[in-house]
Amino acid sequence: MGVEGQDKQKMLEAGALALSGQLGATVQRLRKAYNLSLSELSQQSGVAKSIISQIERNETNPTLATIWRLAQALDVSIERVLQTTEDEPFLEKTSKADTPILVSDDGKCRLEIIGWIKTVEWLQCYEFAAAPGGVLESEAHQRGSVESLSVRDGELEVEVAGAKSSVKAGETLRYRCDRPHIIRNLGKTPAQATMVCILKAAAME
């Protein structure tokens, strides 16, 4: 192998090492976020406990099949597991016309999706608006998810598993959203709020 070939091989090895290091940290963070032991993740993924341990310690370069099994068990995409950190700053602007909007079944509630599509698996952000009498019914999110509702105008009522609580302008209500939940505007004036949904996979060590 010539000098050029040796340099290329060193670059490939360095790249593989960097990817392996990021992969190990990501797998360990997600496993702990789900409160899974090595044995439990092994059972759910079909990957040997010793292999998972080696991956987390960056002592092995797993195959794509192994990464896929771990991603499935951790309920995230392969892209999310393999994602490397980006140190370079960036600026990304979205116009109001390009902001996706969801409307409730009764037509009285609107959700503007202001979150970033790349974080949708662990962090979702919305601008919420409800006309008087508006009701937004949502299905359960993944296990362990928490929603935060910060009201700017008006007053809203949140119901989760039969428990109800009201939240007024200037207040923030946080609640488990891994079960069906309902947001209602029982007042006579429109209500506006910022809604942030934090999925279980976002939990840090």
Side-chain angles (χ1 to χ4, degrees):
M1 180 183 296
V3 175
E4 181 178 349
Q6 291 177 351
D7 290 342
K8 184 176 180 180
Q9 181 65 25
K10 289 181 179 179
M11 290 176 62
L12 290 173
E13 291 175 354
L17 182 61
L19 178 60
S20 175
Q22 180 63 25
L23 174 64
T26 301
V27 169
Q28 186 179 70
R29 184 177 69 251
L30 294 176
R31 177 176 65 79
K32 290 184 177 180
Y34 281 113
N35 295 318
L36 294 174
S37 65
L38 286 170
S39 298
E40 290 171 333
L41 180 56
S42 175
Q43 292 175 357
Q44 294 186 21
S45 65
V47 178
K49 176 181 174 181
S50 59
I51 296 298
I52 298 175
S53 179
Q54 289 175 8
I55 291 173
E56 292 189 355
R57 296 197 306 270
N58 308 319
E59 295 177 351
T60 184
N61 290 319
T63 64
L64 186 58
T66 296
I67 297 174
W68 184 86
R69 292 191 187 99
L70 291 173
Q72 291 294 303
L74 294 169
D75 195 27
V76 294
S77 66
I78 289 183
E79 289 81 3
R80 167 76 173 134
V81 175
L82 291 176
Q83 185 177 11
T84 57
T85 56
E86 296 283 351
D87 293 329
E88 296 183 4
F90 76 98
L91 296 171
E92 182 179 276
K93 182 187 294 183
T94 301
S95 68
K96 191 171 183 64
D98 293 330
T99 302
I101 297 176
L102 305 175
V103 180
S104 61
D105 292 339
D106 63 7
K108 295 183 178 182
C109 297
R110 291 161 56 90
L111 281 172
E112 295 184 17
I113 304 175
I114 60 174
W116 196 21
I117 188 63
K118 289 189 177 182
T119 69
V120 72
E121 293 178 346
W122 55 276
L123 181 65
Q124 301 170 4
C125 302
Y126 307 91
E127 284 295 330
F128 176 71
V135 178
L136 177 67
E137 298 188 33
S138 301
E139 297 296 329
H141 299 301
Q142 71 186 58
R143 177 171 57 88
S145 300
V146 174
E147 206 160 81
S148 176
L149 189 68
S150 299
V151 178
R152 295 192 305 276
D153 297 299
E155 182 176 358
L156 296 169
E157 178 189 76
V158 177
E159 178 179 352
V160 182
K164 299 179 181 180
S165 181
S166 62
V167 54
K168 301 178 181 179
E171 298 178 335
T172 296
L173 182 68
R174 298 179 182 87
Y175 47 93
R176 291 187 61 172
C177 57
D178 57 357
R179 56 201 66 188
H181 49 287
I182 304 171
I183 301 175
R184 301 183 181 93
N185 182 358
L186 302 179
K188 297 181 179 179
T189 60
Q192 293 185 326
T194 298
M195 181 190 300
V196 178
C197 181
I198 305 174
L199 304 182
K200 185 65 175 179
M204 298 298 176
E205 298 179 33

